Amino acid sequence: MDLPLGGPKGVRTALQTLIDIALIATRDQQGTPRNVFDTDDDDDGTATIYVLTKTYGLAGRITGNENGSLGLHPAVYFYGPTGRHSGPMFMGTMTLVGRKLSNNDKTFFNKFTQARSKLEHILVHHKDLIATIIQKHIGPKRVDKYADLLNDLIDHLNAGEDLNELEIIRISGLDGKIFVGSGSDATKSFSDDAKSEAFIMTALRTSIKCPICDGYLDTDKSVSYDHIVRARDGGSGRSDNCNLTHPYCNQSIKN
Ligand SMILES: [Zn+2]
Protein backbone atom coordinates (compact mmCIF):
# COMPACT_ATOMS: atom_id res chain seq x y z
CA MET A 1 0.00 0.00 0.00
CA ASP A 2 1.24 3.47 -0.84
CA LEU A 3 1.34 5.83 2.09
CA PRO A 4 0.51 9.47 1.44
CA LEU A 5 3.52 11.66 0.76
CA GLY A 6 5.12 12.71 4.04
CA GLY A 7 2.88 10.36 6.01
CA PRO A 8 5.41 8.05 7.63
CA LYS A 9 7.88 10.88 8.32
CA GLY A 10 5.11 13.00 9.85
CA VAL A 11 4.06 10.12 12.09
CA ARG A 12 7.64 9.48 13.18
CA THR A 13 8.21 13.16 13.95
CA ALA A 14 5.02 13.41 16.01
CA LEU A 15 5.91 10.22 17.90
CA GLN A 16 9.46 11.45 18.59
CA THR A 17 8.05 14.74 19.87
CA LEU A 18 5.72 12.85 22.21
CA ILE A 19 8.60 10.70 23.49
CA ASP A 20 10.73 13.82 24.05
CA ILE A 21 7.94 15.48 26.04
CA ALA A 22 7.44 12.30 28.11
CA LEU A 23 11.18 12.24 28.88
CA ILE A 24 11.15 15.92 29.93
CA ALA A 25 8.08 15.31 32.11
CA THR A 26 9.64 12.34 33.96
CA ARG A 27 13.20 13.68 34.24
CA ASP A 28 14.44 14.01 37.82
CA GLN A 29 16.66 16.75 39.27
CA GLN A 30 19.73 14.85 38.06
CA GLY A 31 18.37 14.94 34.51
CA THR A 32 17.48 11.22 34.34
CA PRO A 33 16.11 9.69 32.15
CA ARG A 34 18.18 11.40 29.47
CA ASN A 35 16.74 9.15 26.75
CA VAL A 36 14.45 6.13 26.40
CA PHE A 37 17.35 3.72 27.04
CA ASP A 38 17.57 5.10 30.61
CA THR A 39 14.07 3.83 31.36
CA ASP A 40 13.27 0.45 32.87
CA ASP A 41 11.06 -2.19 31.31
CA ASP A 42 7.49 -1.86 32.45
CA ASP A 43 6.23 -5.27 33.62
CA ASP A 44 2.86 -4.35 35.10
CA GLY A 45 1.99 -1.01 33.49
CA THR A 46 2.57 1.19 36.56
CA ALA A 47 5.62 2.87 34.99
CA THR A 48 3.64 3.64 31.85
CA ILE A 49 0.80 5.17 33.88
CA TYR A 50 3.36 7.20 35.84
CA VAL A 51 4.92 8.53 32.61
CA LEU A 52 1.53 9.35 31.09
CA THR A 53 0.38 11.13 34.25
CA LYS A 54 3.55 13.22 34.36
CA THR A 55 3.32 14.00 30.65
CA TYR A 56 -0.30 15.05 30.97
CA GLY A 57 0.63 17.23 33.96
CA LEU A 58 3.39 19.01 32.03
CA ALA A 59 1.30 19.49 28.89
CA GLY A 60 -1.52 20.83 31.09
CA ARG A 61 0.78 23.58 32.38
CA ILE A 62 1.60 24.71 28.86
CA THR A 63 -1.85 24.64 27.27
CA GLY A 64 -5.44 23.60 27.95
CA ASN A 65 -8.01 24.75 30.47
CA GLU A 66 -6.73 23.06 33.64
CA ASN A 67 -6.34 25.39 36.64
CA GLY A 68 -2.55 25.56 36.45
CA SER A 69 -2.41 26.12 32.70
CA LEU A 70 -0.30 29.08 31.57
CA GLY A 71 -2.03 28.92 28.18
CA LEU A 72 1.12 29.87 26.25
CA HIS A 73 0.39 31.40 22.83
CA PRO A 74 2.25 29.33 20.21
CA ALA A 75 3.07 32.36 18.02
CA VAL A 76 4.88 33.95 20.97
CA TYR A 77 6.62 30.92 22.46
CA PHE A 78 7.03 28.34 19.70
CA TYR A 79 7.34 30.19 16.37
CA GLY A 80 10.68 31.22 14.95
CA PRO A 81 11.24 34.42 12.98
CA THR A 82 9.99 32.98 9.70
CA GLY A 83 6.72 32.08 11.38
CA ARG A 84 7.47 28.39 11.43
CA HIS A 85 7.39 26.12 14.47
CA SER A 86 10.76 26.06 16.26
CA GLY A 87 11.70 22.71 17.78
CA PRO A 88 14.27 24.14 20.24
CA MET A 89 11.87 26.88 21.41
CA PHE A 90 9.06 24.38 21.95
CA MET A 91 11.20 21.76 23.69
CA GLY A 92 13.17 24.41 25.60
CA THR A 93 9.97 25.93 27.02
CA MET A 94 8.76 22.42 27.92
CA THR A 95 12.14 21.72 29.54
CA LEU A 96 12.03 24.85 31.70
CA VAL A 97 8.51 24.12 32.97
CA GLY A 98 9.38 20.41 33.38
CA ARG A 99 12.45 21.29 35.47
CA LYS A 100 10.42 23.53 37.76
CA LEU A 101 7.78 20.82 38.26
CA SER A 102 10.52 18.25 38.94
CA ASN A 103 12.17 20.60 41.48
CA ASN A 104 8.75 21.26 43.00
CA ASP A 105 9.49 24.98 42.58
CA LYS A 106 6.11 26.45 43.46
CA THR A 107 7.33 30.05 43.15
CA PHE A 108 8.22 29.73 39.47
CA PHE A 109 4.73 30.07 38.02
CA ASN A 110 4.16 33.23 40.02
CA LYS A 111 7.54 34.64 38.93
CA PHE A 112 6.82 33.74 35.33
CA THR A 113 3.47 35.50 35.48
CA GLN A 114 4.99 38.65 37.04
CA ALA A 115 7.49 38.83 34.15
CA ARG A 116 5.17 37.51 31.47
CA SER A 117 4.18 40.75 29.74
CA LYS A 118 7.79 41.95 29.36
CA LEU A 119 9.04 38.47 28.47
CA GLU A 120 6.47 38.18 25.69
CA HIS A 121 7.46 41.61 24.38
CA ILE A 122 11.04 40.31 24.06
CA LEU A 123 9.95 37.02 22.46
CA VAL A 124 7.75 38.82 19.92
CA HIS A 125 10.06 41.71 19.00
CA HIS A 126 13.42 39.93 19.07
CA LYS A 127 12.62 36.64 17.37
CA ASP A 128 15.57 36.96 15.00
CA LEU A 129 17.98 37.57 17.85
CA ILE A 130 16.55 34.63 19.83
CA ALA A 131 16.90 32.40 16.74
CA THR A 132 20.52 33.56 16.30
CA ILE A 133 21.27 32.76 19.96
CA ILE A 134 19.79 29.28 19.54
CA GLN A 135 21.80 28.74 16.31
CA LYS A 136 25.07 29.63 18.07
CA HIS A 137 24.79 26.50 20.21
CA ILE A 138 25.44 23.04 18.82
CA GLY A 139 22.31 21.01 18.09
CA PRO A 140 22.12 18.79 21.20
CA LYS A 141 22.61 21.78 23.54
CA ARG A 142 20.00 24.08 22.03
CA VAL A 143 17.02 22.90 24.05
CA ASP A 144 18.73 23.17 27.45
CA LYS A 145 20.42 26.47 26.55
CA TYR A 146 17.11 27.98 25.49
CA ALA A 147 15.50 26.79 28.75
CA ASP A 148 18.37 28.48 30.65
CA LEU A 149 17.93 31.69 28.66
CA LEU A 150 14.19 31.85 29.36
CA ASN A 151 14.81 31.25 33.05
CA ASP A 152 17.49 33.97 33.20
CA LEU A 153 15.34 36.47 31.28
CA ILE A 154 12.51 35.92 33.78
CA ASP A 155 14.89 36.52 36.71
CA HIS A 156 16.34 39.69 35.19
CA LEU A 157 12.89 41.06 34.34
CA ASN A 158 11.68 40.37 37.86
CA ALA A 159 14.71 42.28 39.16
CA GLY A 160 13.22 45.30 37.39
CA GLU A 161 15.63 45.44 34.44
CA ASP A 162 14.52 46.64 31.03
CA LEU A 163 16.36 44.42 28.57
CA ASN A 164 17.59 45.66 25.20
CA GLU A 165 19.27 43.48 22.56
CA LEU A 166 22.77 43.90 24.01
CA GLU A 167 21.56 42.86 27.44
CA ILE A 168 19.73 39.85 26.03
CA ILE A 169 22.98 38.78 24.32
CA ARG A 170 24.91 39.30 27.56
CA ILE A 171 22.39 37.19 29.50
CA SER A 172 22.69 34.46 26.84
CA GLY A 173 26.43 34.30 27.54
CA LEU A 174 27.26 35.04 23.91
CA ASP A 175 28.51 38.62 24.18
CA GLY A 176 31.26 39.19 21.66
CA LYS A 177 29.86 36.41 19.48
CA ILE A 178 26.69 38.12 18.26
CA PHE A 179 26.49 41.67 16.96
CA VAL A 180 23.39 43.79 16.60
CA GLY A 181 22.58 46.70 14.32
CA SER A 182 23.40 45.82 10.73
CA GLY A 183 22.53 49.29 9.48
CA SER A 184 19.72 47.94 7.34
CA ASP A 185 17.44 50.65 8.72
CA ALA A 186 18.90 52.99 6.10
CA THR A 187 17.47 50.99 3.18
CA LYS A 188 13.96 51.25 1.84
CA SER A 189 13.46 47.48 1.57
CA PHE A 190 12.05 45.61 4.53
CA SER A 191 14.65 44.00 6.76
CA ASP A 192 14.16 40.39 7.76
CA ASP A 193 13.35 41.67 11.23
CA ALA A 194 10.59 43.88 9.90
CA LYS A 195 9.09 41.08 7.82
CA SER A 196 9.13 38.52 10.60
CA GLU A 197 7.74 40.99 13.06
CA ALA A 198 4.94 41.78 10.60
CA PHE A 199 4.21 38.07 10.28
CA ILE A 200 4.10 37.48 14.01
CA MET A 201 2.08 40.61 14.65
CA THR A 202 -0.44 39.44 12.05
CA ALA A 203 -0.67 36.09 13.82
CA LEU A 204 -1.19 37.90 17.11
CA ARG A 205 -3.40 40.71 15.84
CA THR A 206 -6.61 38.89 16.62
CA SER A 207 -5.31 37.79 20.02
CA ILE A 208 -6.51 39.48 23.14
CA LYS A 209 -4.49 39.86 26.31
CA CYS A 210 -5.14 38.54 29.78
CA PRO A 211 -6.22 41.50 31.98
CA ILE A 212 -4.48 39.96 35.00
CA CYS A 213 -0.92 39.49 33.59
CA ASP A 214 -1.14 41.36 30.25
CA GLY A 215 0.13 38.29 28.41
CA TYR A 216 -1.28 36.97 25.13
CA LEU A 217 -4.27 34.63 25.33
CA ASP A 218 -4.64 31.58 23.09
CA THR A 219 -8.40 31.55 23.41
CA ASP A 220 -8.78 28.54 21.07
CA LYS A 221 -7.03 26.27 23.57
CA SER A 222 -6.71 27.94 26.96
CA VAL A 223 -9.15 30.32 28.56
CA SER A 224 -10.75 30.85 31.92
CA TYR A 225 -13.81 32.99 32.59
CA ASP A 226 -13.17 35.36 35.44
CA HIS A 227 -15.80 37.31 37.41
CA ILE A 228 -14.57 40.95 37.35
CA VAL A 229 -16.55 41.52 40.55
CA ARG A 230 -16.36 38.25 42.43
CA ALA A 231 -19.54 36.25 42.78
CA ARG A 232 -19.12 36.25 46.56
CA ASP A 233 -18.98 40.06 46.46
CA GLY A 234 -22.26 40.21 44.55
CA GLY A 235 -20.82 40.11 41.02
CA SER A 236 -23.27 38.97 38.38
CA GLY A 237 -23.02 36.20 35.80
CA ARG A 238 -23.66 38.65 32.94
CA SER A 239 -21.15 39.05 30.12
CA ASP A 240 -20.24 42.58 31.27
CA ASN A 241 -18.85 41.06 34.48
CA CYS A 242 -16.78 38.48 32.62
CA ASN A 243 -13.07 38.67 31.74
CA LEU A 244 -11.22 36.13 29.62
CA THR A 245 -7.97 35.21 31.40
CA HIS A 246 -5.30 32.51 31.53
CA PRO A 247 -6.48 29.58 33.65
CA TYR A 248 -3.45 29.96 35.95
CA CYS A 249 -4.00 33.71 36.37
CA ASN A 250 -7.65 33.30 37.30
CA GLN A 251 -7.02 30.48 39.77
CA SER A 252 -3.72 31.44 41.35
CA ILE A 253 -2.95 35.13 40.91
CA LYS A 254 -6.31 36.75 41.50
CA ASN A 255 -7.32 34.78 44.59
ZN1 LIG B 1 -2.66 35.92 32.53
Side-chain angles (χ1 to χ4, degrees):
M1 188 183 93
D2 284 338
L3 286 159
L5 200 65
K9 187 163 184 286
V11 169
R12 200 200 59 196
T13 307
L15 191 61
Q16 188 59 53
T17 301
L18 202 59
I19 291 168
D20 288 344
I21 294 169
L23 285 168
I24 289 167
T26 49
R27 212 161 267 160
D28 63 19
Q29 293 184 39
Q30 283 72 45
T32 310
R34 195 69 223 158
N35 58 53
V36 280
F37 304 109
D38 287 345
T39 58
D40 294 328
D41 287 341
D42 184 14
D43 296 325
D44 60 2
T46 46
T48 300
I49 289 170
Y50 173 79
V51 169
L52 290 176
T53 306
K54 286 281 196 179
T55 306
Y56 187 76
L58 172 57
R61 289 292 191 156
I62 302 289
T63 189
N65 291 321
E66 302 281 335
N67 282 352
S69 170
L70 298 172
L72 302 184
H73 197 297
V76 177
Y77 289 90
F78 311 139
Y79 289 8
T82 55
R84 260 180 273 164
H85 189 269
S86 159
M89 287 180 74
F90 178 72
M91 284 301 167
T93 307
M94 284 277 184
T95 295
L96 177 62
V97 175
R99 273 186 206 162
K100 300 300 181 181
L101 292 174
S102 160
N103 293 349
N104 204 18
D105 182 352
K106 294 197 172 70
T107 62
F108 169 75
F109 294 93
N110 198 348
K111 282 196 283 186
F112 172 83
T113 300
Q114 298 302 325
R116 183 166 183 159
S117 173
K118 286 180 175 174
L119 178 70
E120 293 191 354
H121 188 269
I122 290 172
L123 294 179
V124 168
H125 293 278
H126 299 294
K127 276 196 184 289
D128 264 320
L129 175 60
I130 303 271
T132 304
I133 289 169
I134 290 171
Q135 285 294 324
K136 287 281 175 186
H137 295 289
I138 58 164
K141 293 214 183 270
R142 283 175 188 162
V143 169
D144 280 329
K145 288 290 184 185
Y146 183 68
D148 293 342
L149 175 64
L150 271 186
N151 192 50
D152 292 345
L153 289 174
I154 291 164
D155 283 346
H156 281 271
L157 290 170
N158 276 330
E161 297 174 36
D162 279 319
L163 303 178
N164 61 27
E165 291 199 316
L166 284 172
E167 278 148 339
I168 295 166
I169 294 169
R170 182 176 51 78
I171 290 166
S172 78
L174 293 169
D175 33 348
K177 296 183 180 151
I178 297 175
F179 299 95
V180 294
S182 60
S184 60
D185 286 353
T187 70
K188 289 261 167 65
S189 60
F190 292 118
S191 68
D192 287 349
D193 267 341
K195 282 190 278 194
S196 66
E197 191 171 317
F199 179 90
I200 298 297
M201 292 320 291
T202 304
L204 292 172
R205 188 170 296 154
T206 53
S207 294
I208 56 171
K209 286 188 168 180
C210 168
I212 297 173
C213 74
D214 200 36
Y216 283 102
L217 279 171
D218 179 18
T219 50
D220 287 346
K221 299 194 202 76
S222 312
V223 69
S224 183
Y225 299 92
D226 169 48
H227 279 79
I228 297 169
V229 178
R230 291 172 186 166
R232 66 170 180 254
D233 296 332
S236 82
R238 290 197 315 260
S239 63
D240 61 3
N241 192 39
C242 183
N243 266 338
L244 274 58
T245 71
H246 298 118
Y248 174 81
C249 290
N250 192 10
Q251 302 300 329
S252 306
I253 300 290
K254 185 161 179 186
N255 297 318

